[in-house]
Amino acid sequence: MPNQIPVVDYLELGDRPHLRAHACTVCEALYFDRRNACAKCFGTEFTAKPLANEGHLRAFTFVHRVKKPYASAVVALDGGGVVKANLLGVDAPEKIAPRMPVVLETFVAGTDDDGTEAIAFGYRPRGEN
């Protein structure tokens, strides 16, 4: 297997890729970026929390200002957490339904001269391959 690195710090690679958030130990608010204090309760301690790979669409927009249009979405994850990502395998707005169930999928976004792959993520409608 080639050397792989995630394109964002909160994407954990391995046998079962998943997102990881920083959870406030006081109020359990979730953040993807490192924080000195919680924006909700001002707590200063955080723990790592793995997030679910499944969720549903909270909102989306279809972007047409590029050669190949794509869907950008806000996904509410099962068990908590909200993330913005692209919908994979969706080529028309008519194929998107409110609260459509989705699942995390990783893919190679690019490869450098040394063969290291940059791994990105998006969400695919649940049940599609």
Side-chain angles (χ1 to χ4, degrees):
M1 176 186 288
N3 189 30
Q4 297 181 326
I5 58 171
V7 297
V8 292
D9 291 339
Y10 51 90
L11 173 61
E12 293 281 328
L13 302 177
D15 293 337
R16 187 174 183 268
H18 63 277
L19 302 182
R20 174 191 30 82
H22 300 282
C24 175
T25 58
V26 176
C27 71
E28 299 182 2
L30 299 173
Y31 302 97
F32 287 115
D33 57 339
R34 191 188 76 73
R35 297 283 174 125
N36 291 327
C38 176
K40 186 174 178 183
C41 75
F42 305 108
T44 57
E45 293 187 31
F46 298 85
T47 60
K49 179 179 179 180
L51 301 178
N53 285 343
E54 298 80 26
H56 66 271
L57 286 185
R58 180 182 257 184
F60 76 92
T61 187
F62 216 81
V63 181
H64 289 278
R65 293 186 170 207
V66 292
K67 286 184 179 183
K68 184 177 180 185
Y70 65 94
S72 180
V74 176
V75 175
L77 300 173
D78 296 348
V82 176
V83 64
K84 183 193 169 298
N86 290 344
L87 285 179
L88 306 174
V90 177
D91 58 4
E94 301 79 34
K95 295 182 179 179
I96 302 172
R99 299 191 53 83
M100 180 171 71
V102 293
V103 63
L104 179 94
E105 183 173 302
T106 59
F107 59 92
V108 177
T111 306
D112 70 9
D113 292 341
D114 296 325
T116 300
E117 296 177 338
I119 306 299
F121 73 95
Y123 288 85
R124 184 172 297 280
R126 204 174 296 165
E128 290 189 17
N129 292 330

Tab-separated table of all heavy atoms in Angstrom, residues 14 27 54 62 64 66 89 91 110 114 118:
chain	number	residue	atom	x	y	z
A	14	GLY	N	-6.887	4.335	8.094
A	14	GLY	CA	-6.688	3.006	8.691
A	14	GLY	C	-7.696	2.037	8.132
A	14	GLY	O	-8.258	2.250	7.051
A	27	CYS	N	-19.343	20.431	28.247
A	27	CYS	CA	-20.661	20.463	27.586
A	27	CYS	C	-20.761	19.537	26.379
A	27	CYS	O	-21.802	19.450	25.749
A	27	CYS	CB	-21.010	21.891	27.174
A	27	CYS	SG	-20.027	22.520	25.798
A	54	GLU	N	-21.952	7.486	9.320
A	54	GLU	CA	-23.273	7.621	8.716
A	54	GLU	C	-23.956	8.886	9.221
A	54	GLU	O	-23.686	9.355	10.317
A	54	GLU	CB	-24.161	6.419	9.054
A	54	GLU	CG	-23.656	5.094	8.540
A	54	GLU	CD	-22.565	4.493	9.413
A	54	GLU	OE1	-22.515	4.803	10.625
A	54	GLU	OE2	-21.749	3.722	8.891
A	62	PHE	N	-26.071	22.794	-5.303
A	62	PHE	CA	-25.439	22.204	-6.474
A	62	PHE	C	-24.623	23.293	-7.156
A	62	PHE	O	-25.166	24.331	-7.531
A	62	PHE	CB	-26.494	21.617	-7.422
A	62	PHE	CG	-26.039	20.378	-8.095
A	62	PHE	CD1	-26.098	19.158	-7.453
A	62	PHE	CD2	-25.504	20.426	-9.364
A	62	PHE	CE1	-25.659	18.005	-8.063
A	62	PHE	CE2	-25.051	19.279	-9.992
A	62	PHE	CZ	-25.127	18.070	-9.338
A	64	HIS	N	-22.571	24.853	-10.139
A	64	HIS	CA	-22.504	24.732	-11.600
A	64	HIS	C	-21.380	25.562	-12.214
A	64	HIS	O	-21.182	25.495	-13.409
A	64	HIS	CB	-23.826	25.186	-12.228
A	64	HIS	CG	-24.950	24.236	-11.998
A	64	HIS	ND1	-25.149	23.119	-12.753
A	64	HIS	CD2	-25.932	24.235	-11.066
A	64	HIS	CE1	-26.208	22.464	-12.325
A	64	HIS	NE2	-26.710	23.117	-11.291
A	66	VAL	N	-18.348	25.290	-12.520
A	66	VAL	CA	-17.158	24.505	-12.838
A	66	VAL	C	-17.489	23.604	-14.017
A	66	VAL	O	-18.656	23.428	-14.371
A	66	VAL	CB	-16.702	23.663	-11.622
A	66	VAL	CG1	-16.187	24.555	-10.511
A	66	VAL	CG2	-17.828	22.799	-11.108
A	89	GLY	N	-20.909	10.824	-6.257
A	89	GLY	CA	-21.785	9.989	-7.068
A	89	GLY	C	-23.143	10.605	-7.354
A	89	GLY	O	-24.055	9.904	-7.774
A	91	ASP	N	-24.914	13.438	-9.665
A	91	ASP	CA	-24.635	14.325	-10.789
A	91	ASP	C	-25.780	15.271	-11.146
A	91	ASP	O	-25.685	16.020	-12.106
A	91	ASP	CB	-24.230	13.509	-12.013
A	91	ASP	CG	-25.285	12.501	-12.424
A	91	ASP	OD1	-26.374	12.478	-11.819
A	91	ASP	OD2	-25.009	11.718	-13.348
A	110	GLY	N	-4.990	13.210	-4.751
A	110	GLY	CA	-3.800	13.506	-5.537
A	110	GLY	C	-2.623	12.691	-5.019
A	110	GLY	O	-2.687	12.101	-3.943
A	114	ASP	N	6.725	11.660	-4.815
A	114	ASP	CA	7.268	10.511	-4.095
A	114	ASP	C	6.273	9.364	-4.000
A	114	ASP	O	6.561	8.331	-3.408
A	114	ASP	CB	7.695	10.920	-2.686
A	114	ASP	CG	8.837	11.921	-2.696
A	114	ASP	OD1	9.709	11.826	-3.586
A	114	ASP	OD2	8.850	12.807	-1.815
A	118	ALA	N	-2.660	11.782	-1.145
A	118	ALA	CA	-3.450	12.648	-0.278
A	118	ALA	C	-4.877	12.103	-0.289
A	118	ALA	O	-5.499	11.989	-1.345
A	118	ALA	CB	-3.423	14.084	-0.783
